Amino acid sequence: MEVAQALSSARFVLITSHRSPDGDALGSELALWEMCGLLGRQAVVVNRDPHPASLAFLPNLAKAQVTERVPAELLDQVDLVVFLECPGPERPGFPELLPKPLVNVDHHLDNPLYGTVNFVDPEAPAVGEMLLAVADAAGVALTPTMATCLYTALVTDTGDFRYSNATPRAFAAAQRLVEAGAQPAAIAEALNDHVPARVIRLQALVLGTLELQADGRVAVITCTADMLKTAGAFPEDTEDMINIVRAIDGVKVAVFFKAFAPDTVRVSLRSKGPINVQKLAAAFGGGGHENASGLTFHGDLPQARAAILPGILQLLEKA
Amino acid sequence: MEVAQALSSARFVLITSHRSPDGDALGSELALWEMCGLLGRQAVVVNRDPHPASLAFLPNLAKAQVTERVPAELLDQVDLVVFLECPGPERPGFPELLPKPLVNVDHHLDNPLYGTVNFVDPEAPAVGEMLLAVADAAGVALTPTMATCLYTALVTDTGDFRYSNATPRAFAAAQRLVEAGAQPAAIAEALNDHVPARVIRLQALVLGTLELQADGRVAVITCTADMLKTAGAFPEDTEDMINIVRAIDGVKVAVFFKAFAPDTVRVSLRSKGPINVQKLAAAFGGGGHENASGLTFHGDLPQARAAILPGILQLLEKA
């Protein structure tokens, strides 16, 4: 395998991933860092952005440096760069690395194979899973710390095996990683124990706005700039809330009005089954998928409600 | 295998499980029902209690009868009874079945082997996983509907593979079941789409009471009878809420005061790491484990707070 060969013949490997690294990015980086060490190669992990608090438990995390630019004296030593889970070469935010020999390991379908060596497998549940093949080809036996990092990559990218990439291959990898020492319960607890208090405060306020319409088939929630202020929260803290009300028994469509700025309302739409909310979003210049879409409405909250909600009732009647 | 032999030589098999059947109970019952059919045996599934709404998607669910007593004319035909996931013979709530030849399939450590045939494996992640061995021994090939039932059993009993029974064996079973046609994403969605609206309304009220104490190391939430009334909710609807605040970043101990009756306050305690909340609960006549315990306080809410909260601060100081 080309990747294993490239690693084995390198002297100094710089490993990176996309900005705002997630579990697959950071878990894969740290496992590969350890693999390089076992292969007798010098290696560093460098990222533009710090890790989320939920990943603070990852073994060897202290080895991952966060920097705006790769220092020139480090760059001079590096003779191989590995980009993990980057669908494009700009993703790590380190243009200074691009002239180097580059290994591109990714599982995005649209990866344009920008590396000197490319290992791109859209069937892979996570890049962490692909590194099992790299370890095997390089003759590296999995350690418990490596298994912990790769299991974290797998479990975060498959949403606790609840996404469509929870394939037989994902479960085969999980089995192998647990056999090698990954502890699913401890990892799950570590991953889930870092919800900021402000998110819970905001959740209380937003869920308090819940309205059910059309005999409980439509759930509507709202977040205002005042609520953000009261909770000390940020717009991105609202991210998962529409899924909480989408899961209500009997609800077919969930609508989330986010009135953060004057005269602009962000509207998120989720549906279950054959109810196409993308069409409604498109009518307002928005986009997305059949069951998950969004739009930006220019007007105030009452105007947004008056414009959007009747369209949802129509969708329900047609379905 | 004795279980497979017993099934293969029976004419009419009655399958049941514990009262208030969960995913492992019902999934295992329905898979075994299908297995019996493929073996050319007549079979029925009989339960005392109805299924939870979250399991309404299970294939062949209409085959599971709910009844207070097994009708005499049915009982007459039955020559083999199978108890699934029952740590004791009283669990199904059908004493009229006990004189029959009885197969006991369970994964509880304390199962006293009350059956004529016993297949008890405390290492099994779910009874649904044990039925894979039964199918193999009986020579039954897995169908997609059987796989869906058994995957549901596995995923519910392992908490989406986040509990300590997410063993290599659990992942091996998951791989096999997905290969046989179980669809993890569709099953996860079906399982999670049935939260009653009243639970969300109550969650908004209870999370709205969040207080952080001791520099954010203690999270306190409260539910009163008035809140239940406002939300149209029941005491059991509060079940998961302490885990939501336990997961807050920096929180070491979570306390939930439930003042549902006059002069009685139920107190739930959760901790992370080496903080023993069981000791505190025991001092008030309660019980539980080191990281999860509870007690009943006789007095009103202010009295309960005054009695319990200083003890928690002391625990933190010692830790």
Side-chain angles (χ1 to χ4, degrees):
Chain A
M1 179 204 253
E2 273 192 292
V3 177
Q5 283 161 4
L7 290 173
S8 300
S9 56
R11 283 189 318 275
F12 199 117
V13 184
L14 186 148
I15 302 162
T16 188
S17 184
H18 55 78
R19 295 198 63 161
S20 303
D22 57 9
D24 194 16
L26 215 45
S28 296
E29 286 178 334
L30 294 170
L32 186 61
W33 175 85
E34 196 179 335
M35 241 178 259
C36 287
L38 293 171
L39 286 169
R41 312 292 135 193
Q42 278 211 282
V44 283
V45 174
V46 181
N47 289 315
R48 270 292 290 273
D49 297 313
H51 62 271
S54 61
L55 297 174
F57 74 95
L58 282 176
N60 297 318
L61 185 61
K63 304 295 175 186
Q65 307 173 25
V66 176
T67 180
E68 288 284 303
R69 271 187 67 84
V70 178
E73 61 276 22
L74 176 58
L75 203 56
D76 282 347
Q77 300 179 66
V78 169
D79 62 344
L80 186 70
V81 169
V82 183
F83 280 21
L84 297 170
E85 216 199 13
C86 292
E90 77 292 351
R91 291 302 182 95
F94 293 128
E96 60 272 30
L97 293 176
L98 297 179
K100 297 272 180 183
L102 198 159
V103 173
N104 162 24
V105 182
D106 187 29
H107 67 142
H108 289 91
L109 190 62
D110 56 352
N111 188 301
L113 309 180
Y114 54 81
T116 322
V117 171
N118 299 288
F119 176 30
V120 175
D121 182 356
E123 301 280 305
V127 167
E129 189 265 358
M130 297 172 69
L131 294 186
L132 289 173
V134 174
D136 291 344
V140 174
L142 294 178
T143 65
T145 47
M146 228 186 264
T148 299
C149 290
L150 295 180
Y151 186 86
T152 301
L154 183 65
V155 81
T156 52
D157 245 37
T158 61
D160 292 319
F161 304 100
R162 284 177 297 197
Y163 300 158
S164 57
N165 58 347
T167 53
R169 195 171 147 179
F171 289 114
Q175 179 184 354
R176 192 173 161 195
L177 292 167
V178 175
E179 279 166 351
Q183 298 186 15
I187 292 171
E189 194 171 309
L191 283 171
N192 297 320
D193 269 0
H194 295 277
V195 182
R198 64 175 194 271
V199 172
I200 304 300
R201 293 192 197 287
L202 188 65
Q203 198 170 308
L205 296 172
V206 170
L207 296 181
T209 69
L210 174 66
E211 306 160 62
L212 294 179
Q213 302 194 351
D215 296 323
R217 290 175 297 161
V218 179
V220 182
I221 52 174
T222 306
C223 188
T224 63
D226 277 350
M227 292 180 192
L228 289 185
K229 206 173 154 192
T230 303
F234 307 107
E236 57 269 30
D237 291 330
T238 61
E239 205 171 297
D240 277 344
M241 294 180 192
I242 194 166
N243 295 319
I244 298 176
V245 298
R246 183 193 173 283
I248 292 174
D249 199 24
V251 164
K252 302 292 176 204
V253 181
V255 192
F256 192 0
F257 292 102
K258 293 174 242 186
F260 298 147
D263 292 321
T264 304
V265 182
R266 272 294 301 166
V267 185
S268 300
L269 301 165
R270 297 287 183 278
S271 65
K272 295 177 193 166
I275 299 173
N276 189 344
V277 288
Q278 190 270 330
K279 271 189 192 168
L280 184 65
F284 291 89
H289 316 279
E290 183 174 342
N291 294 128
S293 62
L295 61 102
T296 301
F297 182 87
H298 299 286
D300 64 13
L301 184 57
Q303 287 168 336
R305 291 177 58 101
I308 309 288
L309 293 175
I312 289 169
L313 299 183
Q314 277 178 9
L315 276 181
L316 277 177
E317 272 169 36
K318 275 190 242 160
Chain B
M1 177 203 254
E2 274 192 292
V3 178
Q5 282 161 6
L7 291 173
S8 299
S9 55
R11 282 187 319 275
F12 199 116
V13 184
L14 186 147
I15 302 161
T16 188
S17 185
H18 55 79
R19 295 197 64 162
S20 303
D22 57 9
D24 194 16
L26 216 45
S28 295
E29 287 179 332
L30 295 169
L32 186 61
W33 175 84
E34 195 179 335
M35 242 179 256
C36 287
L38 293 172
L39 287 168
R41 312 292 134 194
Q42 277 210 282
V44 284
V45 175
V46 181
N47 289 314
R48 271 292 291 274
D49 297 312
H51 63 271
S54 61
L55 296 174
F57 74 96
L58 281 177
N60 298 317
L61 185 61
K63 304 295 176 186
Q65 305 172 25
V66 177
T67 180
E68 287 284 303
R69 271 188 66 83
V70 179
E73 62 276 22
L74 175 59
L75 203 56
D76 282 348
Q77 300 180 68
V78 169
D79 62 344
L80 186 69
V81 169
V82 183
F83 281 20
L84 297 171
E85 216 198 16
C86 292
E90 76 293 351
R91 289 304 182 92
F94 294 128
E96 60 272 30
L97 293 176
L98 296 179
K100 298 274 181 183
L102 197 158
V103 173
N104 164 22
V105 183
D106 188 29
H107 66 144
H108 289 94
L109 190 61
D110 56 351
N111 189 301
L113 310 180
Y114 54 80
T116 324
V117 171
N118 299 288
F119 177 29
V120 175
D121 182 356
E123 301 280 305
V127 168
E129 190 264 358
M130 297 172 68
L131 293 186
L132 289 173
V134 174
D136 290 344
V140 175
L142 295 178
T143 65
T145 48
M146 228 185 266
T148 298
C149 289
L150 296 179
Y151 186 86
T152 301
L154 182 66
V155 82
T156 53
D157 245 37
T158 60
D160 292 319
F161 304 100
R162 284 176 298 196
Y163 300 159
S164 57
N165 59 346
T167 53
R169 196 171 146 180
F171 288 114
Q175 179 184 354
R176 188 170 163 197
L177 292 167
V178 175
E179 280 166 351
Q183 297 186 15
I187 291 170
E189 193 170 308
L191 283 170
N192 297 321
D193 269 0
H194 296 276
V195 182
R198 64 174 192 272
V199 172
I200 303 299
R201 292 192 197 288
L202 188 65
Q203 198 171 307
L205 296 172
V206 170
L207 296 182
T209 69
L210 174 66
E211 305 161 62
L212 294 180
Q213 303 193 353
D215 296 324
R217 288 174 299 161
V218 179
V220 181
I221 52 173
T222 306
C223 188
T224 63
D226 278 349
M227 290 181 195
L228 289 185
K229 206 175 154 192
T230 304
F234 308 106
E236 59 268 31
D237 291 331
T238 60
E239 205 171 297
D240 277 345
M241 292 180 194
I242 194 167
N243 294 320
I244 298 175
V245 298
R246 184 192 170 285
I248 291 175
D249 199 25
V251 165
K252 302 291 177 204
V253 181
V255 192
F256 192 0
F257 292 102
K258 293 175 241 187
F260 298 148
D263 292 321
T264 304
V265 181
R266 273 292 300 164
V267 185
S268 300
L269 301 166
R270 297 286 183 279
S271 65
K272 296 178 195 165
I275 299 173
N276 189 344
V277 288
Q278 192 269 330
K279 272 190 193 168
L280 185 65
F284 291 89
H289 316 278
E290 184 176 341
N291 293 129
S293 63
L295 63 101
T296 301
F297 182 87
H298 300 287
D300 63 14
L301 184 57
Q303 287 167 336
R305 292 177 55 101
I308 308 288
L309 293 175
I312 288 169
L313 299 184
Q314 277 177 9
L315 277 181
L316 278 177
E317 271 167 38
K318 276 190 245 160

